[in-house]
Amino acid sequence: PFLYIASSPILFYRQSAGHRKKEADQTTTMTRLFLASLTLTFAACSAWVSPNNPPTRSDSIRPKSPSSRGRREFLAIVGSATPWLVSSPASAAAAASSQQEKDKANIVAGYNRLQYFLDNWEAETTVCNTGQETTFGDKCERTPVKVMEYLGFKSMKDPLFKAEVTMKRLKDIVPSDSEVEFYDAIDSFYQNAEEANSMAFVSSWGESNPGGGKDRIQLFIERAKKNVVASRDSLKTVMDILELKP
């Protein structure tokens, strides 16, 4: 037993040394394979000639090696990409400026549409069905659909679609002394537009509700008009702050 115990450290040392040598050999082999692969890749890239670029007259006069040709093409590609990389910040600034101008135009267009809507309120909120009588025997009736349409609730292409988001994108050009007034106007527009939309929706179901009738429809339409007026005024406040002309 004493001999076995005494010889155990020696055996362990030999096994450990052998294991370390095996790992070192594996590492050396992997390194050599990697270097060989890298060398072959570099050689293939250097010798590559684009089939879309046949030799020109200058190439025939002064032949150049495939490796130099490959390097020239690589540098040409890098050089052509450099202006794009340099101009990226300028392109981003141009895109931001374009969005800003579009937002301004939408606010002005939305304001002008609301002004037209209010100037022609009776005609725009009345629908006449030729040759067809309504529930109460007449051919024309009030409709609240145009309220939702002019406030941007019916189409994503409307200039006032999510107008509060549009206006907030212009916060960077708001004078510092007008920031409170600017955000108050946005809040006012949002609240009145939502309330007008709600009044219009309730009005559209006026005849279906118990005790409903034409008078109830007209009542809610006229309530919605007050909110449309307030929404227009809020837009005008924003336009004045941003120095936009109708």
Side-chain angles (χ1 to χ4, degrees), residues 53-176:
N53 295 305
T56 61
R57 287 182 60 85
S58 59
D59 293 328
S60 61
I61 294 174
R62 182 175 294 181
K64 296 180 176 64
S65 65
S67 60
S68 63
R69 183 183 183 87
R71 286 193 293 271
R72 289 200 314 275
E73 292 176 353
F74 172 76
L75 292 174
I77 294 173
V78 174
S80 64
T82 301
W84 180 85
L85 294 173
V86 173
S87 63
S88 292
S91 301
S97 177
S98 175
Q99 180 64 53
Q100 190 177 94
E101 294 303 316
K102 182 179 179 180
D103 291 339
K104 290 180 180 179
N106 281 337
I107 292 174
V108 174
Y111 171 83
N112 289 334
R113 276 170 54 82
L114 286 185
Q115 186 61 60
Y116 171 84
F117 184 39
L118 291 170
D119 291 341
N120 301 273
W121 179 262
E122 192 76 22
E124 287 293 311
T125 57
T126 302
V127 174
C128 296
N129 299 316
T130 304
Q132 180 180 356
E133 293 185 350
T134 64
T135 306
F136 295 92
D138 50 9
K139 296 180 180 180
C140 298
E141 60 182 358
R142 301 295 298 277
T143 175
V145 175
K146 289 298 184 71
V147 175
M148 296 179 277
E149 179 181 325
Y150 275 89
L151 285 172
F153 289 99
K154 301 290 288 184
S155 173
M156 295 176 63
K157 295 181 179 180
D158 191 274
L160 290 183
F161 176 74
K162 293 187 176 180
E164 67 280 0
V165 178
T166 300
M167 289 185 281
K168 286 180 180 178
R169 279 200 296 263
L170 297 171
K171 64 183 184 300
D172 293 336
I173 60 174
V174 175
S176 58

Side-chain angles (χ1 to χ4, degrees), residues 18 23 32 41 48 54 62 71 77 81 100 123 146 157 164 169-170 193 200 208 223 227 233 235 241:
E23 287 184 342
R32 289 176 178 175
T41 302
W48 181 78
R62 182 175 294 181
R71 286 193 293 271
I77 294 173
Q100 190 177 94
K146 289 298 184 71
K157 295 181 179 180
E164 67 280 0
R169 279 200 296 263
L170 297 171
S208 302
R223 285 185 180 178
N227 296 117
D233 294 344
L235 282 180
I241 293 173

Side-chain angles (χ1 to χ4, degrees), residues 158-231:
D158 191 274
L160 290 183
F161 176 74
K162 293 187 176 180
E164 67 280 0
V165 178
T166 300
M167 289 185 281
K168 286 180 180 178
R169 279 200 296 263
L170 297 171
K171 64 183 184 300
D172 293 336
I173 60 174
V174 175
S176 58
D177 58 348
S178 300
E179 289 182 354
V180 175
E181 185 182 8
F182 176 76
Y183 284 108
D184 285 346
I186 294 177
D187 291 340
S188 176
F189 172 85
Y190 177 78
Q191 292 172 6
N192 282 285
E194 289 290 336
E195 190 169 346
N197 183 51
S198 299
M199 290 295 102
F201 179 79
V202 172
S203 176
S204 65
W205 291 91
E207 292 188 58
S208 302
N209 295 327
K214 290 179 60 176
D215 58 332
R216 302 299 295 175
I217 294 177
Q218 187 166 346
L219 172 65
F220 286 111
I221 288 179
E222 293 306 317
R223 285 185 180 178
K225 182 179 181 179
K226 295 179 181 180
N227 296 117
V228 175
V229 170
S231 298

